[in-house]
Amino acid sequence: MTATREAAPQALTRDQSVLTRLRWTASDAAVVTGRNLRHFVRQPQLLLFSTVQPVMFVLLFAFVFDGAIDVPTDDYLQYLLPGIFVQSVAFRAGQTAVGLAEDLDRGVIDRFRTLPMARSAVLAGRTFADLIRNLSIVVLMAGVGLLIGFRFEAGPAMALAAILVVSVFGYALSWVFAYVGLRAKGAEAAQSAGFVVMFPLVFASSVFVPISSMPPWLATFAGASPITHAADAARALSLGTGPALAPTLLSLASTAAVLAVFVPLSVRAYRRAR
Amino acid sequence: MSHAVEVRDLRKAYGSTIALDGVDLDVPAGSVIGLLGPNGAGKTTLVRILTTLLRPDAGHARILGLDVATQAGQLRPLIGLAGQSASVDELLTARENLRMVGRLYHLSSRVAERRADALITRFELDEAADRPVKGFSGGMRRRLDLAASLVNEPPVLFLDEPTTGLDPRSRLTLWAAIEDLVEEGTTLLLTTQYLEEADHLADRIVVIDRGQVIAQGTGDALKERVGGQVVDVRVADLAAVEHARSVLSALTHEPPASEGAVLSLATDDGVATLVRAAQKLEAAEIEVTDLAVRRPSLDEVFLTLTAHDDEEPAR
Ligand SMILES: Nc1ncnc2c1ncn2[C@@H]1O[C@H](COP(=O)(O)OP(=O)(O)OP(=O)(O)O)[C@@H](O)[C@H]1O
Ligand SMILES: [Mg+2]
């Protein structure tokens, strides 16, 4: 190495201007986001699973249950697909926990912590990469749906809104699972925790069937679930069969509530993690 | 500021486990300190505190005049750490790993790229540079991890057991790389369980045990300290070892160590001890096949210093 030190090392310190610190904070988050997006691409089996699995659900549910489930729409596929948007991001959310737990296990977080980077970048970069992944999964599912006969009855602008509402909901779930990943004892534990929590919650919601068809105790639970709120909003925005504003606002509110609880919890867990 | 690292009465406990029990340490700028200690001595804990990963319970530590607990932000650009397990990103390539670290040190992408390329060449990773780390051997990972800790060209470097688990050839390669760094004036604190490594790389060895510094000095000074010489006694009959030990124990401060049929006595005056040992053994009618005086090995120094038989660590 040369004896001359190029470009004085830049630390994030208090005496820097707010603007400089903001710039580095954003730059750090972008670097970590890029790293996590590379991870998605470098794990082809995960990529395959996260796309094939919701496609299978669409095909199975749409063809097996068509006619067997009483839904307010003419066609079960019309009811199902907006729910599948939510299901596909919900089942993938556990991956956030696994990724973080692995980073802790393998010392990557330790490496990050010895660097003069913004403390927020690890979680911000991870959840932001998840948001991009969520968006692509939902767009992909919309494409699959269109291929097998699904129609966004309310037009393209509302379709876009549906996709955004679901992605933002998925973003909130990433923070839930960031917390799980930071608190779990190892990646395997994070993995199973993700599945054990999400699987029943998705079924106990309006994702696959209307909650009016559930026994009252379950309907009450499902009615309060942010998953139901997201699915209802996505449905209203996609189908245009009823007013869309109220369910959209409800979903955004419950998404915000999830964020309000889990962002601070995760940030605190990150400070204390192993 | 002549000391690059200054540690005063540092304490850290995990629940009821005391990991550091009042450590004092000075590392002169530009020197190499070998931190030596058995498993669980507190080496990693000390390194993690010095690299801002862990906060001490009490005491303080300064690196280049900056307090590790309260001035961590200013300190981080000036230190590098290669931890006990290589903390590199498995799914990124070697080059991507180094560039990412460079970017997180807030180097421009051009400079980060140049540093990455230079480090890859320096650590002989050219061929593997664009392959994911997942397929790397242990030695390659270690080299990459060391490279990552050098991205910002830190004046103070911490290496936690840098060669554990490496084959002899990889170890020599890494030693050469470390020697180059020292040549360039980097202050280095390395932990190791290999005395040979500490003796080879370090200017000064600090022996730590149960969270306390129990001895320090050059390899030679430590040998002097335990006793300048060793008398080896090989008894003819393995069953007589214990008898021989009790006969000989009056001759030295430390009870004789034994391995197989050989008893070793640490002493200041090898010849006198040898003569007296011969007399005692003769009187006790213990048959001896070999009797010799030699310099102690560093291993013996280490074992003697960290012996836990008595409550007080050996003095
Ligand atoms: N995270 C932790 N939680 C609880 N106890 C810990 C933790 N880390 C270390 N310890 C304990 O603190 C003591 C010192 O551990 P440390 O890892 O610093 O030792 P070491 O000298 O690095 O050992 P080794 O040679 O095995 O790496 C040990 O008793 C260890 O069990
Ligand atoms: Mg250790």
Side-chain angles (χ1 to χ4, degrees):
Chain A
M1 213 164 293
T2 49
T4 53
R5 293 179 192 279
E6 324 165 54
Q10 299 272 348
L12 275 177
T13 50
R14 282 185 194 86
D15 39 277
Q16 282 170 329
S17 76
V18 177
L19 219 62
T20 312
R21 286 173 61 191
L22 254 148
R23 197 180 124 233
W24 286 128
T25 304
S27 152
D28 292 343
V31 170
V32 178
T33 303
R35 173 236 176 200
N36 289 328
L37 288 176
R38 281 209 168 95
H39 277 211
F40 295 147
V41 185
R42 302 259 162 98
Q43 291 172 297
Q45 65 305 352
L46 271 184
L47 208 62
L48 195 72
F49 188 70
S50 49
T51 51
V52 166
Q53 188 259 350
V55 171
M56 254 169 51
F57 267 56
V58 175
L59 298 180
L60 281 174
F61 277 73
F63 296 120
V64 174
F65 292 129
D66 188 23
I69 296 176
D70 204 13
V71 293
T73 52
D74 295 340
D75 184 354
Y76 182 54
L77 180 63
Q78 288 296 102
Y79 180 87
L80 174 67
L81 202 75
I84 288 287
F85 295 167
V86 176
Q87 178 266 331
S88 58
V89 303
F91 277 19
R92 293 274 56 77
Q95 210 47 49
T96 305
V98 175
L100 264 179
E102 277 177 0
D103 283 352
L104 280 172
D105 286 351
R106 293 184 181 156
V108 176
I109 302 271
D110 274 353
R111 163 73 64 206
F112 285 151
R113 281 182 168 147
T114 60
L115 301 179
M117 63 191 275
R119 296 252 120 175
S120 58
V122 172
L123 293 179
R126 159 93 33 198
T127 53
F128 196 65
D130 288 341
L131 177 64
I132 294 174
R133 181 199 54 187
N134 288 343
L135 259 171
S136 19
I137 292 179
V138 176
V139 167
L140 181 87
M141 292 322 298
V144 170
L146 291 173
L147 275 182
I148 60 169
F150 173 80
R151 291 295 169 262
F152 284 104
E153 305 283 2
M158 297 293 252
L160 190 67
I163 289 172
L164 287 179
V165 164
V166 175
S167 301
V168 170
F169 168 70
Y171 184 73
L173 279 187
S174 297
W175 282 96
V176 176
F177 281 95
Y179 181 67
V180 172
L182 291 167
R183 297 301 303 266
K185 302 249 176 298
E188 315 252 290
Q191 172 97 49
S192 40
F195 194 69
V196 167
V197 171
M198 273 341 276
F199 200 80
L201 285 180
V202 166
F203 277 88
S205 78
S206 67
V207 162
F208 298 117
V209 297
I211 58 176
S212 54
S213 68
M214 296 174 181
W217 63 270
L218 188 56
T220 308
F221 176 81
S225 163
I227 301 177
T228 295
H229 301 158
D232 287 351
R235 208 163 270 135
L237 289 164
S238 303
L239 306 180
T241 44
L245 187 61
T248 302
L249 288 181
L250 179 60
S251 176
L252 290 178
S254 66
T255 296
V258 172
L259 283 170
V261 173
F262 282 95
V263 171
L265 276 181
S266 302
V267 168
R268 214 177 53 181
Y270 178 72
R271 290 221 182 93
R272 293 179 182 177
R274 278 170 274 182
Chain B
M1 265 306 301
S2 56
H3 288 153
V5 180
E6 220 182 80
V7 177
R8 288 291 171 273
D9 198 28
L10 209 59
R11 290 168 193 278
K12 177 76 193 177
Y14 302 99
S16 61
T17 310
I18 295 172
L20 294 181
D21 192 10
V23 169
D24 293 288
L25 186 67
D26 287 316
V27 183
S31 75
V32 183
I33 291 289
L35 198 60
L36 203 64
N39 288 127
K43 304 182 294 294
T44 298
T45 303
L46 178 57
V47 168
R48 287 177 67 86
I49 289 175
L50 294 179
T51 52
T52 76
L53 290 173
L54 208 61
R55 287 181 83 93
D57 296 339
H60 72 85
R62 286 175 179 280
I63 295 177
L64 302 171
L66 297 168
D67 190 281
V68 294
T70 59
Q71 295 172 296
Q74 283 145 278
L75 179 58
R76 287 192 186 110
L78 305 173
I79 55 173
L81 164 69
Q84 192 164 350
S85 57
S87 48
V88 284
D89 191 318
E90 298 273 308
L91 294 173
L92 298 187
T93 68
R95 202 185 300 278
E96 287 167 344
N97 261 292
L98 295 175
R99 278 190 200 163
M100 174 177 76
V101 170
R103 294 296 285 148
L104 294 174
Y105 270 116
H106 302 157
L107 302 172
S108 73
S109 55
R110 201 172 42 83
V111 175
E113 202 157 313
R114 221 175 33 233
R115 295 265 174 95
D117 293 347
L119 286 165
I120 282 165
T121 306
R122 174 170 189 173
F123 288 97
E124 295 167 24
L125 291 165
D126 298 87
E127 264 173 48
D130 296 306
R131 292 209 304 262
V133 172
K134 215 163 37 168
F136 279 26
S137 71
M140 288 158 76
R141 259 166 229 255
R142 282 290 184 167
R143 296 210 298 276
L144 178 59
D145 197 36
L146 180 56
S149 67
L150 296 177
V151 166
N152 209 33
E153 303 178 348
V156 182
L157 186 63
F158 298 88
L159 305 177
D160 196 1
E161 301 196 19
T163 65
T164 299
L166 296 190
D167 64 39
R169 214 186 76 88
S170 310
R171 176 168 303 160
L172 288 180
T173 316
L174 213 66
W175 280 8
I178 292 171
E179 282 174 324
D180 285 346
L181 284 172
V182 173
E183 198 105 322
E184 289 158 19
T186 304
T187 304
L188 174 63
L189 187 150
L190 72 100
T191 79
T192 181
Q193 301 196 26
Y194 304 111
L195 302 138
E196 188 199 354
E197 182 160 295
D199 212 15
H200 183 88
L201 293 173
D203 302 321
R204 201 155 54 91
I205 296 173
V206 173
V207 184
I208 171 170
D209 189 27
R210 297 195 274 186
Q212 290 180 327
V213 172
I214 55 170
Q216 52 184 312
T218 60
D220 281 337
L222 288 180
K223 287 175 188 173
E224 300 274 316
R225 163 154 189 189
V226 167
Q229 292 177 314
V230 174
V231 173
D232 279 340
V233 177
R234 181 182 288 275
V235 295
D237 181 3
L238 201 55
V241 167
E242 285 314 313
H243 186 194
R245 194 200 305 277
S246 61
V247 166
L248 297 174
S249 60
L251 296 182
T252 51
H253 288 304
E254 306 295 334
S258 68
E259 201 183 327
V262 179
L263 292 118
S264 302
L265 290 77
T267 172
D268 293 330
D269 187 344
V271 176
T273 306
L274 182 136
V275 170
R276 290 179 59 203
Q279 291 166 346
K280 289 236 175 201
L281 290 164
E282 173 113 56
E285 296 184 339
I286 296 170
E287 197 184 337
V288 171
T289 57
D290 198 9
L291 201 58
V293 183
R294 60 174 173 84
R295 294 268 291 159
S297 73
L298 211 48
D299 284 286
E300 282 166 323
V301 174
F302 182 62
L303 288 174
T304 310
L305 287 171
T306 59
H308 288 172
D309 301 6
D310 42 353
E311 268 313 296
E312 272 297 286
R315 299 265 155 202

